[in-house]
């Protein structure tokens, strides 16, 4: 049974850092890419980063600089390090997999499975 469980969200002040975790089960990150998205109520789900089965990271231009994706194939975990957070980063953060080996397709409609999300709130 495929499952993605995010954790690590919370309330932080502007300028802080936060690391999100996503535990994957039912499939192996040795074979599949996985990514992070976020969504603000009333807005489209936005892609933050993706990491291929080989560990190659991908960031859309708008997300380069403050976000770092990494993974642990042994623990079957993926992480998102977020630095210098601002109130505009407040959103629900999701991990998702396209069930492909690479990040060649990285949009919310390409994802095959989603976690339940974790709330990140950044106060000013």
């Amino acid at each position: 049974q495929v499952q993605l469980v995010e954790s690590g969200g919370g309330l932080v002040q502007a300028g802080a850092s936060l690391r999100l975790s996503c535990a994957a089960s039912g499939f192996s990150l040795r074979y599949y890419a996985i990514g992070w998205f976020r969504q603000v109520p009333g807005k489209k789900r936005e892609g933050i980063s993706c990491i291929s089965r080989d560990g190659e990271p991908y960031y859309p231009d708008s997300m380069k600089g403050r976000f770092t994706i990494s993974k642990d194939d042994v623990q079957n975990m993926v992480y998102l390090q977020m630095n210098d957070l601002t109130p505009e980063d407040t959103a629900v953060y999701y991990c998702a997999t396209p069930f492909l080996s690479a990040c060649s397709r990285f949009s919310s409609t390409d994802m095959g499975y989603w976690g339940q999300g974790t709330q990140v709130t950044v106060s000013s």
Side-chain angles (χ1 to χ4, degrees):
Q1 179 183 355
V2 173
Q3 194 171 19
L4 295 170
V5 179
E6 302 93 337
S7 61
L11 173 63
V12 296
Q13 290 191 329
S17 297
L18 205 58
R19 189 176 85 150
L20 304 182
S21 301
C22 173
S25 59
F27 70 104
S28 176
L29 297 182
R30 297 180 190 272
Y31 305 115
Y32 294 102
I34 191 164
W36 287 95
F37 291 77
R38 67 184 181 184
Q39 188 169 27
V40 175
K43 293 191 175 182
K44 289 176 59 177
R45 202 162 285 190
E46 180 180 34
I48 301 170
S49 183
C50 179
I51 189 164
S52 73
R53 71 172 185 180
D54 297 326
E56 188 73 23
Y58 165 77
Y59 304 92
D61 288 342
S62 59
M63 296 296 172
K64 290 180 179 177
R66 298 187 298 118
F67 300 98
T68 303
I69 192 169
S70 61
K71 65 169 182 162
D72 183 332
D73 287 343
V74 174
Q75 299 294 325
N76 222 34
M77 300 280 293
V78 62
Y79 306 98
L80 183 69
Q81 177 68 38
M82 306 187 293
N83 299 325
D84 193 22
L85 288 164
T86 73
E88 288 67 39
D89 294 314
T90 295
V92 178
Y93 285 70
Y94 300 89
C95 61
T97 177
F99 285 124
L100 298 172
S101 60
C103 300
S104 53
R105 295 182 177 181
F106 185 57
S107 71
S108 59
T109 56
D110 291 320
M111 298 299 115
Y113 200 86
W114 295 85
Q116 84 289 346
T118 185
Q119 176 71 46
V120 172
T121 303
V122 184
S123 63
S124 58

